[in-house]
Amino acid sequence: MIVLFLFALLWMVEGALCQLHYTVQEEQEHGTFVGNIAEDLGLDITKLSARRFQTAPNSRSPYLELNLETGVLYVNEKIDREQICKQSPSCLLHLEVFLENPLELFRVEIEVLDINDNPPAFPEPDLTVEISESATPGTRFPLESAFDPDVGTNSLRTYEITPNSYFSLDVQTQGDGNRFAELVLDKPLDREQQAVHRYVLTAVDGGQPQQRTGTALLTIRVLDSNDNVPAFEQPVYTVSLPENSPPGTLVLQLNATDPDEGQNGEVIYSFSSHISARARELFGIAPRTGRLEVSGELDYEESSVYQVYVQAKDLGPNAVPAHCKVLVRVLDANDNAPEISFSTVKEAVSEAAAPGTVVALFSVSDRDSEENGQVQCELLQGDAPFRLKSSFKNYYTIVTEGPLDREQPGGDAYTLTVVARDRGEPPLSTSKSIQVRVSDVNDNAPRFSQPVYQVYVSENNVPGAYIYAVSATDRDQGANAQLAYSILESQIQGMSVFTYVSINSENGFLYALRSFDYEQLKEFSFQVEARDAGEEPQPLAGNATVHIVVVDQNDNAPAIVSPLPGRNGTPAREALPRGAEPGYLVSRVAAVDADDGENARLTYSILRGNEASLFRMDWRTGELRTARRVPAKRDPQRPYELVIEVRDHGQPPLSSTAAIQVVLVDGAAERPGGGGGGLGAGAGAGGGGGGSGEHRPSRSGGDTSLDLTLILIIALGSVSFIFLLAMIVLAVRCQKEKKLNIYTCLASDCCLGCCCCCPCCSRQARARKKKLSKSDIMLVQSSNVPSNPAQVPVEESGSFGSHHHNQNYCYQVCLTPESAKTDLMFLKPCSPSRSTDAEHNPCGAIVTGYADQQPDIISNGSILSSETKHQRAELSYLVDRPRRVNSSAFQEADIVSSKDSGHGDSEQGDSDHDATNRGQSSARKRIC
């Protein structure tokens, strides 16, 4: 039968903490109902699962089972009270259950009730007692006690013996409540009449309604007389002994005396037959001396009192033993350190948790008693925001004491150490540590490495080029620290910033989406944003400003704004009085450059047409003045053709040219201070006004002067046309003749074998000391050379992306009418041939396909090099191992040749030619 008692209901801090008391009888079957904890505590059964209703791990028992869904407590397996609690008067099983959200702890006590399921039992089924026949009536003989595992009323109550005329039983009660029987001699014995007496000894318990009994056969042997019995000083000895006394510690020195002599007076000590087995293990006695000492480990927590029964017996015949009892009281020592048991520990606590949030629940216990078992707890947390809070009878909780910040140094995890210390002397302590991890909350916005980025980007950059990398950091963790970069919408010169730059959302790399032009946009700013991927409470972002400064490059050639060319691109005309004094201002050249700084600082010079040094140019102001008087023999029909060059100071420098035709006019130059005019509209474009104080020709009378000007213009135009036509015819003839000579020379063995067998080689000695004139050379691209993938790659610039093509160039010589001064020629590179047959190589040269070679220069069949002393002797060696000419020298010759041959006079032609040479500055060709 199961009895349910509601023992107590306590309300404590951190919720209601209750204690229930149930009773259940031992030996109940599996599934026996004990109690409904949830119903008795008034809990909502439907919320047990949600609140994680469970038992504390350290309080679980295999004998009981709790249904976590219904809160019903039932018997899991049979409970044997005697096995669990031994002889303890009270047998309790403890069970702690708790719920979360909020945290509530309940303590349940289950008392196991004893039933009379064990009969009394004697240690041996046969008991033997030897009694001398000289024993007098009234002599008592202790008998071995029976043992009944049951307690209370079900324990041993009395002893009974078979009715007889010689003996009776006297049942005694010990101090601990146990009963034992003494055999009392009622009638003198006579060994000769009856040497052995046999009786049945019965032990009876007090169980109701039915008593249980245990029996043993008691055999009494009657011995011959030894009339003196050893005697102890006192029947009962009481000794106090500290627990954990080492083996060999003296408990008591016993002494029993026997007035007999000889062996009848020699006493031997031993334990009585009814001493407990545990006492035999813990204590030992010396048979001859009676020294009682410790032989095992005493533990106060196991038992506080031990009863040791000792008998003394002489060695005489028919010896009668004397008995005494030694009561050993074990004194408690502080030999058990407190124990700490954690019931629940949170794996992680949010850094946004409010103060007072429960992190862990634990209990402490100490097996010692009194002050040795009183435990105090403390939390060793350093600067961690946690504290210890007492909840209920040796139960404690660890709660947060202040706000948490995971981003602080060491704030992502805390090691909390709980120290439990008792009050014993000396005190013992136990410590246990737990790791509390702080989970991240998105409470830190991304921050850029600097608030403003100053980025310098050269103009004419390639669209899509990388320009800079911005970086931001987030002190949070995980997704809260995953950043995505973006550009905030803004306008730059009326257009969206997304048409100018882009950003890689993962790494913050900035790319230019267009080619910047310093002359159109010198600088601009925009904002970049870094946004994290956090969700709680919300994503956070940080901004920074990127200031792009476009760095100027020398990409604009100077533009000449004065004097302007005439109609149809004719040169500007300026009038020069024949009688002009030295220093006379002929014209003022004005130019502008769209670049900035050094790239826009201009220098003026006379490129050509001033062979007679009649004019001088101020390199800073662009003023063209006379350096001396005009020669009197100068034909007025031959104007001075000047080419003025304006060059900036960029790297590389760019230049523009303007052609000025200075026409001689009759008339006196005006004195300083007088106004001056030019010849027609061209003179006005020269930019030199009369107010400048320079000498300018004066205009004579209206119609006559006008007619003269018109006539001069027509005459000069006709002469120029005829001269130009003659130059074209002469250049065509020159090109054909020189081309035939070069091919003939290259096809022969003159150049390869160092023998003079062609006109080009025969003139070698004659032309060796002649000076090379730039006007004698022009490099013309040949179109009759087939392309070959192994030829020299030439990089063509001027377009986006700089495409490379495999293109071959053959160069041939065109000589001007003044070419008789020198026989210098540039051999053209041709396609390389694997064959040794020269007829397949019309250029007579072997060209490698590598871009680090340039053609050698051959003058009169000899290679111009630093080794001029070995001209003919090393020609064959130079054929096998070509000399390499610096690419800049080759390009300079190419530039001069192109300009001086009449093919590069225009501004556009010069610029294109310079760009071509810049793109080929790194190429070098090999010529045999």
Side-chain angles (χ1 to χ4, degrees):
M1 180 177 181
I2 302 168
V3 183
L4 173 64
F5 293 94
L6 181 60
F7 181 78
L9 182 64
L10 299 176
W11 294 92
M12 303 295 290
V13 183
E14 285 281 289
L17 300 176
C18 301
Q19 184 176 19
L20 299 179
H21 184 82
Y22 298 97
T23 59
V24 60
Q25 291 184 348
E26 65 175 334
E27 303 295 331
Q28 296 299 317
E29 296 294 329
H30 171 73
T32 301
F33 176 84
V34 177
N36 192 324
I37 296 176
E39 181 179 340
D40 295 337
L41 294 175
L43 301 176
D44 188 354
I45 298 178
T46 61
K47 296 182 179 179
L48 293 180
S49 297
R51 295 184 62 187
R52 298 184 63 184
F53 178 69
Q54 57 183 306
T55 60
N58 61 329
S59 67
R60 293 172 184 168
S61 173
Y63 304 103
L64 300 173
E65 185 67 25
L66 177 63
N67 190 320
L68 302 180
E69 300 292 334
T70 61
V72 174
L73 183 66
Y74 58 90
V75 176
N76 186 41
E77 64 181 47
K78 283 187 177 182
I79 304 174
D80 189 352
R81 183 190 182 283
E82 290 74 22
Q83 181 180 0
I84 298 173
C85 302
K86 306 297 181 184
Q87 295 297 111
S88 176
S90 176
C91 185
L92 298 176
L93 297 179
H94 296 280
L95 184 68
E96 285 87 19
V97 297
F98 62 94
L99 299 92
E100 298 180 358
N101 301 321
L103 181 65
E104 292 182 298
L105 176 68
F106 305 97
R107 187 172 184 182
V108 181
E109 288 185 354
I110 299 93
E111 182 179 2
V112 181
L113 301 179
D114 183 42
I115 62 174
N116 193 20
D117 58 338
N118 293 286
F122 289 92
E124 298 293 337
D126 296 324
L127 303 179
T128 301
V129 178
E130 296 180 347
I131 302 176
S132 174
E133 64 178 350
S134 61
T136 60
T139 304
R140 296 173 176 269
F141 304 93
L143 300 178
E144 288 192 30
S145 300
F147 176 74
D148 192 344
D150 297 327
V151 296
T153 58
N154 297 324
S155 62
L156 180 65
R157 287 302 178 191
T158 185
Y159 292 89
E160 296 177 356
I161 192 172
T162 304
N164 62 88
S165 59
Y166 290 97
F167 301 96
S168 63
L169 292 178
D170 185 12
V171 179
Q172 301 288 331
T173 302
Q174 298 178 355
D176 56 358
N178 292 329
R179 291 178 171 84
F180 67 95
E182 289 184 347
L183 185 65
V184 181
L185 181 61
D186 294 336
K187 181 179 178 181
L189 298 175
D190 188 355
R191 177 183 172 279
E192 286 71 21
Q193 291 183 359
Q194 187 176 356
V196 177
H197 299 262
R198 291 184 174 86
Y199 307 104
V200 175
L201 183 62
T202 303
V204 183
D205 63 19
Q208 294 294 333
Q210 183 178 1
Q211 295 179 335
R212 290 180 177 269
T213 60
T215 60
L217 178 60
L218 177 61
T219 300
I220 301 173
R221 298 181 181 277
V222 181
L223 303 176
D224 284 342
S225 176
N226 181 12
D227 54 302
N228 288 295
V229 177
F232 288 97
E233 295 177 356
Q234 57 189 63
V236 177
Y237 297 89
T238 301
V239 179
S240 296
L241 194 66
E243 66 172 330
N244 299 326
S245 296
T249 301
L250 176 65
V251 178
L252 183 64
Q253 179 64 54
L254 295 174
N255 185 27
T257 59
D258 190 331
D260 294 331
E261 293 181 355
Q263 289 187 348
N264 292 335
E266 187 176 349
V267 178
I268 298 298
Y269 300 91
S270 63
F271 289 125
S272 299
S273 58
H274 52 276
I275 188 176
S276 66
R278 183 57 178 164
R280 287 180 181 271
E281 295 175 358
L282 296 178
F283 301 99
I285 191 169
R288 294 288 184 179
T289 62
R291 176 185 172 88
L292 182 62
E293 59 184 22
V294 177
S295 61
E297 294 183 359
L298 298 178
D299 190 356
Y300 176 86
E301 288 70 35
E302 179 182 352
S303 178
S304 60
V305 177
Y306 291 95
Q307 295 183 8
V308 180
Y309 294 94
V310 181
Q311 67 178 8
K313 186 178 181 181
D314 59 33
L315 297 178
N318 304 322
V320 176
H323 299 270
C324 73
K325 179 174 70 174
V326 180
L327 188 63
V328 181
R329 299 187 182 276
V330 180
L331 302 179
D332 184 31
N334 191 23
D335 60 340
N336 291 283
E339 296 180 357
I340 302 173
S341 177
F342 280 90
S343 300
T344 178
V345 177
K346 284 189 176 181
E347 294 182 358
V349 58
S350 172
E351 64 175 329
T357 302
V358 177
V359 174
L361 171 68
F362 68 93
S363 61
V364 295
S365 60
D366 195 318
R367 296 177 59 195
D368 293 324
S369 62
E370 297 179 356
E371 289 189 353
N372 295 334
Q374 296 180 6
V375 181
Q376 293 178 333
C377 291
E378 62 176 329
L379 181 64
L380 303 180
Q381 82 281 13
D383 297 333
F386 299 92
R387 65 184 178 89
L388 203 61
K389 187 175 182 181
S390 177
S391 295
F392 171 75
K393 193 179 180 181
N394 292 336
Y395 274 85
Y396 297 87
T397 56
I398 300 176
V399 299
T400 58
E401 189 176 23
L404 302 176
D405 188 358
R406 192 196 66 84
E407 289 70 36
Q408 288 184 352
D412 56 345
Y414 294 93
T415 300
L416 305 180
T417 302
V418 177
V419 178
R421 183 177 289 103
D422 59 28
R423 296 184 178 180
E425 290 296 338
L428 299 179
S429 62
T430 300
S431 62
K432 214 169 203 181
S433 299
I434 61 173
Q435 189 82 10
V436 178
R437 185 173 55 85
V438 179
S439 60
D440 186 40
V441 173
N442 192 23
D443 56 347
N444 289 278
R447 297 184 63 181
F448 282 90
S449 58
Q450 55 192 73
V452 178
Y453 293 90
Q454 193 86 0
V455 181
Y456 294 88
V457 181
S458 298
E459 66 172 333
N460 303 322
N461 58 288
V462 178
Y466 164 84
I467 58 176
Y468 200 70
V470 296
S471 62
T473 57
D474 195 316
R475 297 176 62 196
D476 292 322
Q477 190 181 38
N480 297 330
Q482 294 179 0
L483 303 183
Y485 297 90
S486 62
I487 299 176
L488 299 181
E489 173 64 36
S490 61
Q491 296 291 319
I492 301 176
Q493 292 186 344
M495 298 183 66
S496 173
V497 68
F498 299 120
T499 64
Y500 285 81
V501 291
S502 67
I503 191 170
N504 188 313
S505 62
E506 295 181 357
N507 53 31
F509 286 6
L510 291 171
Y511 300 93
L513 297 182
R514 61 171 61 189
S515 182
F516 299 137
D517 189 352
Y518 175 82
E519 289 70 36
Q520 296 181 4
L521 180 64
K522 292 181 173 55
E523 60 182 4
F524 62 93
S525 298
F526 58 91
Q527 282 195 329
V528 292
E529 178 186 75
R531 183 176 295 273
D532 59 34
E535 296 181 355
E536 292 184 3
Q538 62 182 0
L540 300 178
N543 297 343
T545 300
V546 179
H547 185 68
I548 302 293
V549 178
V550 181
V551 179
D552 183 40
Q553 287 186 333
N554 193 25
D555 59 342
N556 292 280
I560 300 176
V561 298
S562 175
L564 297 175
R567 295 180 180 180
N568 300 325
T570 59
R573 303 185 67 187
E574 297 290 345
L576 174 63
R578 183 177 290 274
E581 296 291 335
Y584 178 82
L585 178 63
V586 179
S587 179
R588 184 189 301 272
V589 179
V592 294
D593 196 317
D595 293 321
D596 196 9
E598 286 294 308
N599 298 330
R601 188 163 66 88
L602 304 180
T603 299
Y604 302 86
S605 63
I606 301 174
L607 187 61
R608 62 177 179 269
N610 193 26
E611 289 80 4
S613 301
L614 180 62
F615 303 95
R616 62 181 175 87
M617 171 70 71
D618 191 319
W619 65 273
R620 291 171 295 184
T621 63
E623 293 180 348
L624 179 64
R625 297 177 182 270
T626 58
R628 56 187 177 84
R629 287 181 175 274
V630 179
K633 297 180 181 181
R634 178 71 179 185
D635 186 359
Q637 300 301 323
R638 291 180 57 195
Y640 290 97
E641 302 286 345
L642 301 180
V643 177
I644 307 301
E645 181 187 53
V646 182
R647 181 180 297 269
D648 60 27
H649 286 72
Q651 291 298 329
L654 301 180
S655 64
S656 298
T657 59
I660 299 178
Q661 195 176 71
V662 181
V663 182
L664 294 176
V665 297
D666 293 330
E670 295 182 357
R671 296 297 179 185
L679 181 61
S692 63
E694 305 294 343
H695 299 283
R696 301 295 298 234
S698 61
R699 184 184 298 270
S700 60
D703 296 338
T704 303
S705 179
L706 179 61
D707 294 340
L708 180 60
T709 302
L710 181 60
I711 292 172
L712 288 175
I713 292 175
I714 294 174
L716 288 175
S718 302
V719 173
S720 298
F721 176 75
I722 295 172
F723 177 75
L724 179 62
L725 184 61
M727 291 294 293
I728 293 175
V729 173
L730 185 60
V732 171
R733 290 187 58 189
C734 175
Q735 180 179 6
K736 290 182 179 180
E737 293 177 0
K738 293 300 179 180
K739 182 175 182 181
L740 180 59
N741 291 338
I742 292 172
Y743 284 172
T744 305
C745 178
L746 296 178
S748 67
D749 295 330
C750 170
C751 296
L752 297 176
C754 299
C755 47
C756 298
C757 58
C758 66
C760 67
C761 299
S762 64
R763 293 191 300 270
Q764 178 178 1
R766 182 178 68 254
R768 183 167 300 159
K769 296 183 180 180
K770 292 182 180 180
K771 183 176 181 182
L772 175 64
S773 175
K774 296 181 180 179
S775 61
D776 294 338
I777 304 173
M778 178 182 69
L779 301 184
V780 181
Q781 178 176 346
S782 177
S783 61
N784 61 352
V785 181
S787 62
N788 191 310
Q791 298 301 320
V792 179
V794 179
E795 179 179 354
E796 296 183 1
S797 61
S799 62
F800 164 67
S802 295
H803 303 282
H804 295 277
H805 301 280
N806 291 330
Q807 186 172 358
N808 303 323
Y809 289 87
C810 285
Y811 298 97
Q812 57 192 17
V813 180
C814 284
L815 302 177
T816 65
E818 300 177 357
S819 62
K821 298 178 182 179
T822 181
D823 292 327
L824 178 68
M825 65 180 69
F826 286 87
L827 294 186
K828 60 178 180 178
C830 299
S831 305
S833 176
R834 301 291 182 181
S835 173
T836 60
D837 190 357
E839 66 180 1
H840 294 87
N841 193 343
C843 298
I846 299 176
V847 183
T848 62
Y850 297 93
D852 60 348
Q853 296 176 350
Q854 290 286 355
D856 292 335
I857 301 176
I858 301 177
S859 177
N860 294 328
S862 298
I863 298 177
L864 297 182
S865 65
S866 61
E867 302 178 1
T868 56
K869 296 182 180 180
H870 307 281
Q871 297 158 352
R872 295 184 178 273
E874 295 188 3
L875 277 179
S876 60
Y877 173 75
L878 294 176
V879 169
D880 297 333
R881 186 187 178 199
R883 302 285 297 177
R884 290 182 178 172
V885 183
N886 191 296
S887 62
S888 62
F890 178 75
Q891 290 179 357
E892 182 179 355
D894 195 3
I895 294 171
V896 172
S897 174
S898 298
K899 290 183 178 179
D900 292 348
S901 62
H903 296 277
D905 293 338
S906 66
E907 175 183 350
Q908 182 64 32
D910 291 344
S911 300
D912 295 341
H913 193 77
D914 293 342
T916 303
N917 283 278
R918 285 195 304 271
Q920 297 177 353
S921 62
S922 63
R924 310 181 75 181
K925 296 182 176 62
R926 178 180 177 184
I927 306 296
C928 293

